[in-house]
Amino acid sequence: MAVAAAEFKEFWLQAQSITLYPDNPLYQYLYHYCWRLHEVTCRKRFVISRVMPNAELLSQASADYQAAFTQAYECYQQWNQQLIRQMGEVKGFDRCALVRDFIRGTMINVSEEVVDAHDVQLYYQYCYALTQLLGQSDKRVPNRDCISHWLQLMAPTPVHVDQRMRFALEHLMTV
């Protein structure tokens, strides 16, 4: 449960730290989910949404871990809902659920396949699909040059890896 709480907290913190496109919630959303896809394809990060949220696992955790996970997960879900509202909700479907399920499935699929983590076309197609599911088909999808730039920004550095490890250790020590 500590790992799940730390993962969702990191997702939320990364989403909060996006400074690119302050006036374009669609691009902020796409950038964040491209980052998550990159984490899975490039760094072989475990897809925590494969097992969480899970009421049975949550019920087996201590009250502190339950609270930590619930808080991290709810913050992250609120960020998702807020950005979708800022994009302009489209009636007729639950866009949050539709997109959440698509993202979960995509993350699981790419974690099980041999995928080129730097394939701009992969991210372009992912952005296109997300844009459609979000009901934003009237908006321009980031072009391949933009996505290539994003991938450069996501390149791992030793400092980044150290920060992730420190974050995980600090979280485990405080819960």
Side-chain angles (χ1 to χ4, degrees):
M1 199 55 53
V3 171
E7 289 284 292
F8 282 104
K9 185 172 183 180
E10 184 180 358
F11 297 160
W12 180 74
L13 290 172
Q14 191 282 338
Q16 295 295 309
S17 73
I18 298 171
T19 57
L20 297 171
Y21 316 107
D23 298 325
N24 190 334
L26 175 62
Y27 274 37
Q28 289 177 7
Y29 195 86
L30 295 175
Y31 177 83
H32 171 70
Y33 280 103
C34 282
W35 172 80
R36 287 215 25 217
L37 186 64
H38 188 262
E39 288 286 302
V40 172
T41 59
C42 184
R43 298 192 183 92
K44 307 302 181 208
R45 187 172 188 158
F46 178 72
V47 179
I48 196 68
S49 58
R50 180 186 295 264
V51 293
M52 290 302 292
N54 179 316
E56 185 177 330
L57 289 177
L58 191 61
S59 70
Q60 295 172 21
S62 71
D64 288 343
Y65 284 123
Q66 286 180 15
F69 172 78
T70 301
Q71 179 184 15
Y73 185 75
E74 286 178 2
C75 285
Y76 189 54
Q77 292 308 311
Q78 287 172 2
W79 175 83
N80 278 278
Q81 293 165 359
Q82 177 186 353
L83 245 58
I84 290 173
R85 276 193 305 275
Q86 288 174 4
M87 287 177 221
E89 291 185 76
V90 179
K91 296 191 189 280
F93 297 99
D94 181 349
R95 300 290 171 176
C96 292
L98 234 139
V99 171
R100 182 192 61 231
D101 293 344
F102 171 75
I103 290 167
R104 180 180 183 271
T106 300
M107 296 292 173
I108 291 169
N109 287 343
V110 299
S111 73
E112 295 174 347
E113 298 174 8
V114 177
V115 176
D116 177 4
H118 305 289
D119 179 9
V120 173
Q121 183 63 28
L122 171 71
Y123 297 90
Y124 182 74
Q125 185 172 325
Y126 184 57
C127 286
Y128 177 81
L130 283 172
T131 302
Q132 299 302 310
L133 290 172
L134 287 164
Q136 303 298 312
S137 59
D138 60 324
K139 307 276 185 352
R140 184 175 295 266
V141 176
N143 64 34
R144 288 170 183 82
D145 289 338
C146 179
I147 292 171
S148 180
H149 176 69
W150 289 359
L151 292 175
Q152 290 171 4
L153 294 174
M154 295 174 197
T157 64
V159 171
H160 177 77
V161 173
D162 289 345
Q163 287 171 341
R164 285 186 60 211
M165 181 59 75
R166 186 171 40 252
F167 171 79
L169 290 173
E170 286 172 2
H171 182 75
L172 288 173
M173 296 169 106
T174 59
V175 175

